[in-house]
Amino acid sequence: MTPNRHQGRTVLVTGAASGIGASISRQYAQEGAKLAVVDVNAEALEAHSESLRALGADVAWATADVSDYGQCASALEQLRRALSSDMDTLINNAGISPKVNGKPANFWEMDPSEWMRVVGVNLHGAFNWSRLVAPSMVEQRFGSIVNMSSVAAKFFVSFTAAHYGTTKAALIGMTRDLAGELGPHGITVNAIAPGRINTPLMRTASQATNDAIIQETALRRLGDPEDVAEMACFLTAPESRFVTGQVVDVAGGWLMT
Ligand SMILES: NC(=O)c1ccc[n+]([C@@H]2O[C@H](COP(=O)([O-])OP(=O)(O)OC[C@H]3O[C@@H](n4cnc5c(N)ncnc54)[C@H](O)[C@@H]3O)[C@@H](O)[C@H]2O)c1
């Protein structure tokens, strides 16, 4: 954490009410940014926003399902008005990984609506928000976007279903394409591929699964949400101004390439 590093910036974080998104928004607040936080869970988001205000941050919150472009557009208008600011930084963090009794569904048995839902949230959500904030970033010739991928984008991971790995791999492709298009306008776009991070989402898998991963992880522990927050704040800070189109693993040496 670097105090005041993001002073003067306005940062939008999706899926901010829990886990990694909560930690990322907290670190930006500690680094001096104004926060626009978005989630589907209004109650948790409001409580989290209060905790960010207690850190001294200027915070606005809005509920939106990231898979719904119209809801995102209305939320952005609300957040812009509340903060009197366009967004300089976008963290596309919201994501889901449905399981049944702690296990992923086989794709050949999956209800097609579940496939569409995961694609909608994990992939279309990142498109929707990038599409909405990029025009003002292009106008101000400044900005950065981070997409939350996963190591499941790069390897077959047996405890996430096919929709999850597919959307996380697609986010890496999207990161490259957006970086190519936005680079000439002074905007960076990168992705983070977290390993196993200790959040409510991770706890949808069994303890045995998580214990086995710890044994396969060079640093012999699960990640903390703060480990990912540090990387998000770095990838959008002046120190990383010449880094774009990249995917950074924050995985403690699990599934090293
Ligand atoms: N925890 C891990 O081990 C891990 C590993 C790799 C990648 N990731 C990725 O990191 C991101 C955050 O995961 P997490 O572990 O913090 O999960 P989490 O479940 O703790 O938090 C996700 C947040 O996203 C919100 N959300 C879900 N659907 C939404 C929607 N349609 N619109 C808006 N908000 C929505 C939830 O309400 C929740 O607050 C996800 O994209 C996930 O795929 C997590």
Side-chain angles (χ1 to χ4, degrees), residues 14-22 38-41 44 64-67 92-97 117 120-122 148-152 164 168 171 192-203 225 228:
T14 70
S18 171
I20 293 171
V38 172
D39 205 286
V40 274
N41 184 338
D65 179 339
V66 296
S67 70
N92 282 315
N93 166 76
I96 54 173
S97 181
R117 178 76 189 139
V121 175
N122 292 7
M148 203 56 68
S149 179
S150 167
V151 291
Y164 187 79
K168 294 300 181 180
L171 276 176
I192 297 175
R196 206 64 180 151
I197 310 297
N198 194 355
T199 70
L201 181 141
M202 179 219 75
R203 293 191 281 275
V228 183

Side-chain angles (χ1 to χ4, degrees), residues 24-175:
I24 290 174
S25 46
R26 193 176 309 116
Q27 182 159 336
Y28 277 113
Q30 289 164 333
E31 296 199 4
K34 277 189 194 181
L35 265 305
V37 288
V38 172
D39 205 286
V40 274
N41 184 338
E43 202 180 325
L45 187 62
E46 185 173 17
H48 180 60
S49 300
E50 281 311 315
S51 75
L52 297 179
R53 284 195 187 107
L55 295 171
D58 195 355
V59 184
W61 63 274
T63 49
D65 179 339
V66 296
S67 70
D68 183 320
Y69 187 82
Q71 285 187 30
C72 298
S74 307
L76 182 60
E77 273 323 297
Q78 191 183 323
L79 294 164
R80 270 189 181 137
R81 264 200 311 275
L83 296 171
S84 307
S85 175
D86 285 320
M87 306 300 139
D88 307 301
T89 302
L90 168 66
I91 310 294
N92 282 315
N93 166 76
I96 54 173
S97 181
K99 312 242 175 4
V100 182
N101 299 325
K103 296 209 174 89
N106 291 316
F107 88 90
W108 72 88
E109 295 167 330
M110 186 181 286
D111 190 314
S113 66
E114 182 179 310
W115 179 274
M116 296 305 284
R117 178 76 189 139
V118 174
V119 175
V121 175
N122 292 7
L123 182 59
H124 298 169
F127 165 77
N128 288 339
W129 279 104
S130 303
R131 166 68 185 84
L132 283 162
V133 304
S136 63
M137 288 182 175
V138 168
E139 204 172 306
Q140 66 189 10
R141 291 197 60 78
F142 177 74
S144 19
I145 298 176
V146 170
N147 295 319
M148 203 56 68
S149 179
S150 167
V151 291
K154 304 178 176 188
F155 298 91
F156 171 66
V157 174
S158 60
F159 52 84
T160 57
H163 44 36
Y164 187 79
T166 301
T167 54
K168 294 300 181 180
L171 276 176
I172 292 180
M174 196 175 104
T175 298

Side-chain angles (χ1 to χ4, degrees), residues 179 181 227:
E181 283 195 42
D227 296 324

